Amino acid sequence: MQKKRKIMKIEIEERVFHFKQPAGTSRGVYTERRSWFVRMTDGPSVGIGECAPLPDLSCDASPTYGQTLRQFCDLVEQTGEIPYEAMRDYPSMLFGLETAMLSLRHGDRLFDTAFCRGEVGIPINGLVWMGNYEEMLQRMEQKLEQGFRCVKLKIGAINFEQELDLVKRIRDRFSHHDVELRLDANGAFAFDEALYKLELLSQYAIHSIEQPIKAGQWAFMAQLCRESPLPIALDEELIGVNDLEMKSHMLNVIKPAYIVLKPSLHGGMMGCREWIAAARQHDVGSWITSALESNIGLNAIAGFCSSVYGDHITMPQGLGTGQLFTDNIPMPLEIRGDQLWVIDD
């Protein structure tokens, strides 16, 4: 049997990225983003991966993140393999090491797909961050002018009546045939008012709403999924559910319409493949998004997306965050209209 390649060394570099404009969610406002990059070398080959936990959200974010990552890197150095089972509860670290290993073997084009070869693009949604009413209206106008046919609107930070009016104004100008609207509440609604708000929003042909109430309330979320006039997608609800059987159990209990997968939060590439397989078994739809990674992480997520959904993706994915930072890392990616493309050199 052929012996596995010996990984000679893994170096870790911590780096802070700065947002072009504050990124607001119902949990707060981001002005900078911290990532740990793993540089894997094996003789002349080099692979780079990004480990990017989100504070107060990722299940593996901790004050000792760098030390824990170093321990896993030491183990990979010794064995030449990623300890997948041991890393189930460390999704952002796992994703970074998975990316580095693929990069070591294949360079920037991590997967043998039409997207990674620059032959097709992946449709993506435009993202409108939270702000005051005028800011959100202006950002929405910009996304529509850029040609996005699917726009995701983060809600829950300003007055609900203003958000409802914003949705109404969009629908007054663009029918659901012209623009698909997705909403992301990031758990901002209280359960006792959530159904009423969902009923009001349902007047405006909304594709789906992500995480209307806070995670961890399975019975309440299951009730909302049964009674809501809007399709509900789970996002934060999936964080920390890393056991294969528990994934299937959650989907069976809550029965959402969709799940929204972020490799850095939901188990790396391995864990997301498990989620997608479980979702298909329960007739639950899914799409993949980035989680404020730099272009290194975005490139890996987009390539992974093309590997699991194939060469003819029609559902818009959440892969447009590569333009958020003033000091991003250059990668052969560009947005053309409402699609993400690899630049074919």
Side-chain angles (χ1 to χ4, degrees):
M1 181 179 292
Q2 186 177 1
K3 192 174 182 179
K4 290 185 179 294
R5 296 176 68 179
K6 175 69 175 177
I7 296 174
M8 301 301 295
K9 189 174 183 182
I10 300 176
E11 299 174 345
I12 301 172
E13 177 190 359
E14 187 176 347
R15 181 164 174 174
V16 176
F17 298 95
H18 301 87
F19 284 86
K20 293 178 181 178
Q21 62 184 28
T25 76
S26 61
R27 291 184 302 272
V29 178
Y30 293 107
T31 58
E32 62 180 32
R33 179 75 164 97
R34 190 177 305 274
S35 290
W36 284 257
F37 290 88
V38 290
R39 185 178 186 271
M40 189 178 291
T41 57
D42 180 9
S45 301
V46 179
I48 305 292
E50 180 177 5
C51 306
L54 284 169
D56 303 319
L57 187 61
S58 297
C59 64
D60 56 354
S62 76
T64 59
Y65 186 92
Q67 296 96 304
T68 304
L69 177 59
R70 181 68 259 173
Q71 291 171 359
F72 282 124
C73 289
D74 290 345
L75 189 57
V76 175
E77 284 182 342
Q78 295 164 15
T79 64
E81 298 180 350
I82 297 172
Y84 285 99
E85 289 303 318
M87 297 191 71
R88 278 191 176 273
D89 293 332
Y90 302 89
S92 65
M93 299 182 199
L94 175 57
F95 176 61
L97 286 170
E98 287 174 314
T99 301
M101 191 74 79
L102 286 168
S103 174
L104 187 73
R105 295 167 178 166
H106 307 295
D108 290 342
R109 299 184 179 182
L110 306 180
F111 298 91
D112 184 19
T113 64
F115 168 76
C116 291
R117 294 190 296 269
E119 297 168 2
V120 300
I122 295 177
I124 62 175
N125 62 256
L127 179 61
V128 175
W129 290 96
M130 289 180 180
N132 63 42
Y133 179 84
E134 293 302 326
E135 287 172 338
M136 293 180 72
L137 183 60
Q138 181 181 14
R139 291 168 189 168
M140 175 62 75
E141 295 280 359
Q142 290 173 346
K143 294 301 178 185
L144 297 175
E145 289 172 5
Q146 290 167 7
F148 284 97
R149 290 169 291 179
C150 175
V151 178
K152 175 177 169 178
L153 189 67
K154 283 188 172 287
I155 63 172
I158 63 174
N159 180 275
F160 178 73
E161 283 69 28
Q162 286 186 303
E163 293 173 334
L164 193 64
D165 184 60
L166 181 61
V167 171
K168 180 181 182 299
R169 290 182 65 168
I170 296 164
R171 274 292 171 252
D172 285 344
R173 288 187 52 205
F174 300 95
S175 77
H176 67 281
H177 298 294
D178 300 318
V179 175
E180 180 180 282
L181 270 181
R182 298 176 180 175
L183 303 179
D184 184 0
N186 286 124
F189 298 166
F191 172 71
D192 58 4
E193 63 183 20
L195 187 59
Y196 173 68
K197 291 182 175 181
L198 296 178
E199 288 172 347
L200 292 177
L201 290 166
S202 69
Q203 304 173 73
Y204 303 109
I206 305 300
H207 171 270
S208 58
I209 182 166
E210 292 179 38
Q211 205 67 41
I213 62 174
K214 289 182 179 179
Q217 307 175 84
W218 286 20
F220 285 159
M221 187 66 85
Q223 183 178 339
L224 275 185
C225 288
R226 286 195 306 269
E227 299 178 359
S228 171
L230 286 181
I232 291 177
L234 302 185
D235 180 357
E236 289 92 337
E237 200 73 64
L238 312 180
I239 296 172
V241 182
N242 301 317
D243 178 75
L244 182 56
E245 291 185 4
M246 188 58 69
K247 293 175 182 180
S248 182
H249 178 59
M250 168 188 276
L251 297 180
N252 186 52
V253 170
I254 297 179
K255 295 181 170 60
Y258 301 100
I259 57 174
V260 184
L261 295 167
K262 300 176 174 69
S264 290
L265 294 176
H266 301 136
M269 298 183 200
M270 175 197 73
C272 285
R273 288 185 190 276
E274 291 178 350
W275 274 118
I276 292 169
R280 286 171 175 164
Q281 289 179 349
H282 292 278
D283 197 27
V284 173
S286 67
W287 67 87
I288 292 173
T289 84
S290 51
L292 307 182
E293 295 89 355
S294 77
N295 278 336
I296 296 290
L298 177 62
N299 180 68
I301 295 166
F304 171 69
C305 181
S306 70
S307 76
V308 294
Y309 293 138
D311 291 337
H312 305 288
I313 298 172
T314 56
M315 176 177 280
Q317 310 291 305
L319 305 175
T321 57
Q323 298 175 317
L324 287 177
F325 305 118
T326 60
D327 44 4
N328 212 331
I329 297 172
M331 288 293 288
L333 296 170
E334 68 178 6
I335 296 175
R336 304 176 194 167
D338 65 346
Q339 292 193 338
L340 181 70
W341 285 76
V342 169
I343 300 171
D344 185 13
D345 54 5

